[in-house]
Amino acid sequence: MKNQFDEKNKKKFINEFCHHGVNEDLAERVYTSRLLGKNKELVLHGGGNTSVKSVTKDTHGEKHNVIFVKGSGSDLSSIKPKDFPAVKLKNLNKILQKKNVTDDEMVKYLRQNLIDTSSPNPSVETLVHSFINEKFVDHTHSNAILEITNRKDGYNICKKVFGNKIIIIPYVMPGFLLARKVSQLYKFNPQVQGMILYRHGIFSYGATAKESYDRMIKLVSLAENYLKSEKIKKIKKISIKKIRFKSSDIAPLIRGAISQNKNYILNFRTSRSLLSVINSLDAKKILSRGVVTPDHVIRTKPKYLVVNINDCKNLKDIEIKLKKEIQKYIKNYLKYFETYNESRDRNTLLDPIPQIIAIQNIGLFSVGKSLVQAIINGDIAEAAIKIIGNIEKRNTFTSIGMKNIFDVEYWSLEQAKIKKDNKPLSGKVTVVTGGTGVIGLATAKKFKDMGSEVIIIDINKKRIQAEKSKGNFDVYYCDVRKRNEYKKILNHLKNKYGGIDIVISNAGFAIQSEISTITDAELKKSFEINFFSHQIVASESVEVMKMQNKGGCLLFNISKQSVNPGLNFGAYGIPKSALLSLCRQYALEYGKLGIRSNGVNADRIESGLLTKEMIKKRAKSRNIHVKDYLKGNLLKKQVFAEDVADAFYNLSISEKTTAAILAVDGGNIEASMR
Ligand code: ZN
């Protein structure tokens, strides 16, 4: 493993932080913490933790010996000084004299000793860090270390590789018990450079950040070199059939099967190295043996679901098989819960659905309440599968046992690490066409605020670029007049999100002309964007919704022109009238599948479509002043894009409403639906 420590960089880093008043020890701590965090072979997504013992002042100016330790929930790769709460060291040793300390007591105790009570909770491993008498302490879940410890003969190999350089701590649940175990063993071996936490990870420590970091790299390199020297056996594979199904065809089937009661995002990935393990003959067995480090269980659950679809002739067969396998998985999970929960009846059952689903010959699907969570879960599973595969090539993968896994999975301090997103649209996927326009963006923002994943598509390359650089939404170029282009986007979304739930068909184009003199070409062009593109978007989206078999929601941006034509605006209004019928037709034909279809008739909203120039013209055609045009409604109030966004949102959550048209025009009796 390459040592990334660079004295020059460290100095630059420290100078920058110290310039902003950060304690020098802490600045040094941040520098090597990030080095560790950026190395994916050592640390993944919030894993690992680091600390430094130093001196700091409280608000009264009084000095204290403290430990700056990683706050729970932060990520080492991007950690900042403020993510290290300072805990007074003086009292921490006292807690060791107690026989047992509950999780709540431990958290309370640590919080009571914080210098700044507004700090995040100190890491669950704070006590372990505090009992090691070295200034800097680093802890990672290094892949190479796990490949050595998580096998049948792991203990002997550790001895062989590290000799007396380290202490091996038998597996103990993280938290108070581990801290006590460490303090006992450390006392007799303070001269060693590190500790292997059996089937969990590794600690290194030193007088400087560099020393502790160097030792981590050295110890991990010893493990890597040993692994390289080992003989490798071939893993037996299942038959690699020519795959007739694509991941994008399977994704909505899985998403449907797992999201009948709740909504989930399903993210797909595949690679040769992933398939080399997933396709092994024993995949079902080895991917059910448990986690490679206890931390992973809250992300991946104890077991992965492995499904072989080689005997499926069509997508229907796959759907039936998936449903059966998922039901079986849930049943087994409930059994696991009942078995290990006996003595702790205060636990409530966690979501029993699989978080990681491996389809042999296809790849890996990871589940999450949001895309970010699904990707994190997938990254962790991918790393674990690689570790398990490497162990199986050498020996037999062994985990910490289901009881230990259960205790960590149902540990309140672990559960607290997962962000609970419970907004009305959490786990849903919304596509907005014409998404970079004024109404499109306001709508995208509204749906994102309400918890949905939002994808915006548009044909305006300049605005797409602008939105991409802001990074608020997943943005794509797509001409919705072209069926193949929209299909391609949907296939991508099926792989990335598992499918779609809400489609806001919003793209439009206004054109003004007297109806008898408009050219055929112009009228056809208007129909293409204001009617046919909606049909393309709706029909293709409904196909995905049908595969998911969990309902869906179509929302059309129609226009009051559909029921209340304006002078010289026929080329726009007539296709919009057809669009209103289209909206109702979808409601009629797909209601039985739980797919709702509703529309919004908005009017006089200043946007890219109704520009200042256009407003002038419209006001003139109605013979009124421009200033009266925008407020020319029953309420005498100007209507904004955000009002339209609210209407779309309200229709999206009105589960019993379909074939409805909601007017957002400040009141216009001529345009009211009758
Ligand atoms: Zn750990």
Side-chain angles (χ1 to χ4, degrees):
M1 176 166 281
K2 203 173 168 238
N3 189 319
Q4 304 278 358
F5 194 95
D6 183 304
E7 196 59 42
K8 252 198 212 154
N9 276 347
K10 187 199 88 177
K11 276 197 180 125
K12 219 173 99 192
F13 203 85
I14 290 178
N15 282 342
E16 236 177 82
F17 275 122
C18 291
H19 187 70
H20 291 97
V22 172
N23 171 314
E24 194 175 328
D25 288 338
L26 184 55
E28 206 174 324
R29 176 67 284 173
V30 173
Y31 172 68
T32 55
S33 298
R34 287 195 192 172
L35 289 186
L36 296 172
K38 285 191 174 122
N39 188 334
K40 290 192 168 49
E41 294 284 311
L42 291 177
V43 164
L44 265 187
H45 297 297
N49 39 60
T50 57
S51 68
V52 60
K53 296 171 189 80
S54 183
V55 177
T56 197
K57 283 181 193 164
D58 63 19
T59 42
H60 310 295
E62 200 183 318
K63 278 188 179 173
H64 296 273
N65 288 324
V66 295
I67 178 167
F68 287 104
V69 64
K70 187 186 111 166
S72 200
S74 47
D75 197 306
L76 285 182
S77 65
S78 56
I79 201 153
K80 296 179 184 72
K82 69 169 175 52
D83 300 325
F84 284 91
V87 190
K88 288 176 219 159
L89 270 172
K90 205 171 80 189
N91 295 326
L92 289 189
N93 273 319
K94 287 184 196 158
I95 199 170
L96 258 195
Q97 282 137 29
K98 298 196 178 188
K99 252 206 171 143
N100 203 355
V101 175
T102 67
D103 302 335
D104 291 345
E105 282 167 351
M106 186 174 81
V107 172
K108 215 166 121 191
Y109 198 79
L110 291 175
R111 287 210 70 86
Q112 278 166 352
N113 285 292
L114 281 174
I115 289 287
D116 176 356
T117 48
S118 66
S119 303
N121 274 346
S123 159
V124 296
E125 328 239 49
T126 299
L127 293 177
V128 180
H129 285 257
S130 74
F131 300 149
I132 295 169
N133 273 336
E134 298 266 3
K135 194 172 171 85
F136 287 85
V137 180
D138 295 350
H139 168 50
T140 73
H141 302 150
S142 148
N143 291 3
I145 299 293
L146 296 175
E147 282 175 27
I148 280 183
T149 62
N150 286 50
R151 52 166 103 181
K152 269 193 176 153
D153 57 348
Y155 193 86
N156 292 337
I157 294 178
C158 282
K159 278 272 164 220
K160 201 161 133 189
V161 175
F162 301 109
N164 293 327
K165 288 191 191 69
I166 48 129
I167 318 170
I168 305 170
I169 314 269
Y171 179 80
V172 183
M173 169 127 168
F176 180 75
L177 293 178
L178 175 62
R180 205 167 55 187
K181 187 96 200 160
V182 166
S183 81
Q184 286 162 356
L185 290 173
Y186 176 77
K187 249 189 281 178
F188 302 108
N189 305 276
Q191 78 292 349
V192 297
Q193 305 173 2
M195 295 184 293
I196 299 282
L197 302 189
Y198 202 55
R199 295 178 184 167
H200 171 161
I202 176 170
F203 271 91
S204 67
Y205 28 81
T208 62
K210 182 176 187 307
E211 186 175 43
S212 184
Y213 174 80
D214 285 349
R215 284 174 172 176
M216 176 67 74
I217 302 299
K218 204 175 95 193
L219 293 169
V220 171
S221 299
L222 282 176
E224 285 179 342
N225 291 339
Y226 176 79
L227 288 165
K228 267 186 216 148
S229 73
E230 276 187 307
K231 262 201 190 135
I232 283 180
K233 61 178 185 204
K234 258 201 152 166
I235 297 182
K236 278 192 189 147
K237 300 272 167 61
I238 58 159
S239 79
I240 312 276
K241 273 195 159 186
K242 245 192 154 193
I243 305 157
R244 284 174 296 137
F245 307 104
K246 286 196 222 116
S247 54
S248 57
D249 293 330
I250 298 168
L253 302 178
I254 300 180
R255 186 162 184 255
I258 58 171
S259 343
Q260 290 304 318
N261 304 315
K262 287 184 188 166
N263 295 295
Y264 300 98
I265 303 300
L266 185 78
N267 184 255
F268 176 71
R269 68 184 65 205
T270 194
S271 69
R272 272 179 66 180
S273 69
L274 252 177
L275 287 174
S276 76
V277 184
I278 292 174
N279 286 351
S280 65
L281 204 58
D282 285 338
K284 283 186 193 197
K285 241 194 268 167
I286 62 175
L287 296 178
S288 303
R289 280 195 204 133
V291 290
V292 296
T293 184
D295 231 23
H296 286 188
V297 68
I298 54 165
R299 300 289 184 185
T300 64
K301 292 221 156 296
K303 298 178 178 190
Y304 302 173
L305 173 59
V306 180
V307 184
N308 185 315
I309 54 165
N310 278 8
D311 58 344
C312 295
K313 291 187 184 65
N314 50 46
L315 289 174
K316 193 76 212 159
D317 286 353
I318 296 180
E319 189 181 0
I320 293 167
K321 182 145 204 184
L322 280 168
K323 277 189 181 155
K324 224 168 84 190
E325 293 282 349
I326 288 166
Q327 282 316 314
K328 208 162 95 190
Y329 182 96
I330 293 173
K331 226 171 112 187
N332 283 333
Y333 185 83
L334 296 178
K335 221 192 258 165
Y336 152 86
F337 179 75
E338 277 163 28
T339 308
Y340 300 110
N341 191 41
E342 35 183 31
S343 57
R344 314 149 120 244
D345 41 274
R346 64 197 172 98
N347 286 320
T348 41
L349 176 72
L350 293 168
D351 203 345
I353 66 146
Q355 298 292 294
I356 305 297
I357 300 164
I359 308 286
Q360 295 189 306
N361 278 333
I362 300 282
L364 196 75
F365 293 89
S366 58
V367 178
K369 279 299 276 176
S370 64
L371 178 66
V372 170
Q373 282 195 15
I375 289 176
I376 292 176
N377 297 351
D379 285 350
I380 285 172
E382 189 175 352
I385 286 173
K386 193 175 148 201
I387 292 168
I388 294 169
N390 285 343
I391 296 170
E392 283 290 309
K393 277 184 211 155
R394 295 166 164 88
N395 195 274
T396 304
F397 165 57
T398 318
S399 180
I400 52 174
M402 285 299 157
K403 169 79 175 103
N404 285 328
I405 294 177
F406 179 88
D407 287 345
V408 175
E409 186 180 8
Y410 281 83
W411 190 22
S412 60
L413 302 186
E414 277 295 308
Q415 284 302 325
K417 288 183 185 170
I418 296 182
K419 244 180 137 190
K420 305 264 184 301
D421 272 330
N422 275 326
K423 291 183 179 166
L425 299 181
S426 288
K428 294 218 176 193
V429 182
T430 302
V431 178
V432 186
T433 77
T436 70
V438 177
I439 291 176
L441 270 181
T443 305
K445 187 174 178 305
K446 178 79 191 181
F447 278 72
K448 193 182 174 189
D449 288 348
M450 291 299 145
S452 180
E453 302 295 330
V454 177
I455 297 98
I456 65 180
I457 57 178
D458 210 301
I459 50 167
N460 188 316
K461 286 185 178 156
K462 219 170 129 189
R463 291 205 308 249
I464 286 173
Q465 220 36 58
E467 284 312 314
K468 269 191 181 163
S469 62
K470 282 185 216 156
N472 292 331
F473 304 105
D474 197 5
V475 193
Y476 300 95
Y477 172 87
C478 176
D479 185 344
V480 282
R481 291 169 298 187
K482 294 177 181 148
R483 191 173 283 273
N484 273 344
E485 278 192 21
Y486 187 62
K487 251 181 158 165
K488 230 166 110 184
I489 296 282
L490 282 184
N491 280 339
H492 172 74
L493 298 183
K494 283 187 269 180
N495 278 331
K496 187 164 178 179
Y497 297 90
I500 52 169
D501 304 289
I502 302 165
V503 175
I504 295 151
S505 195
N506 166 66
F509 172 74
I511 181 166
Q512 286 207 79
S513 185
E514 206 182 310
I515 196 67
S516 70
T517 58
I518 190 168
T519 64
D520 290 348
E522 265 185 312
L523 189 57
K524 275 183 185 160
K525 187 180 162 197
S526 178
F527 258 92
E528 223 189 321
I529 182 70
N530 292 317
F531 175 75
F532 282 106
S533 79
H534 293 274
Q535 161 63 0
I536 287 172
V537 167
S539 58
E540 292 298 335
S541 302
V542 161
E543 285 311 303
V544 181
M545 291 169 183
K546 278 186 196 163
M547 287 177 82
Q548 293 175 146
N549 194 19
K550 63 189 279 283
C553 175
L554 299 174
L555 292 164
F556 297 92
N557 190 354
I558 309 177
S559 164
K560 76 110 204 176
Q561 298 288 334
S562 61
V563 288
N564 176 216
L567 271 179
N568 299 333
F569 221 23
Y572 180 66
I574 295 164
K576 288 290 193 181
S577 295
L579 179 59
L580 187 138
S581 295
L582 187 79
C583 171
R584 289 174 162 166
Q585 198 67 33
Y586 272 94
L588 174 69
E589 294 190 22
Y590 301 104
K592 60 180 182 286
L593 301 179
I595 299 171
R596 298 181 295 115
S597 174
N598 294 299
V600 168
N601 275 358
D603 192 25
R604 297 187 198 184
I605 289 137
E606 197 177 330
S607 67
L609 200 133
L610 192 63
T611 56
K612 282 199 166 62
E613 195 58 30
M614 186 77 95
I615 290 167
K616 244 189 239 168
K617 281 192 199 169
R618 297 307 308 149
K620 201 177 163 198
S621 81
R622 283 172 194 262
N623 231 343
I624 48 175
H625 289 294
V626 169
K627 66 175 172 26
D628 294 325
Y629 178 76
L630 287 170
K631 288 187 184 178
N633 53 45
L634 298 177
L635 297 169
K636 305 284 175 222
K637 280 181 180 161
Q638 189 176 342
V639 186
F640 297 98
E642 288 71 22
D643 299 314
V644 182
D646 284 348
F648 278 131
Y649 168 66
N650 284 312
L651 284 169
S652 80
I653 55 164
S654 300
E655 296 289 342
K656 307 287 166 65
T657 299
T658 191
I661 310 296
L662 195 54
V664 187
D665 55 8
N668 175 359
I669 215 69
E670 284 84 21
S672 63
M673 299 296 291
R674 63 200 113 159

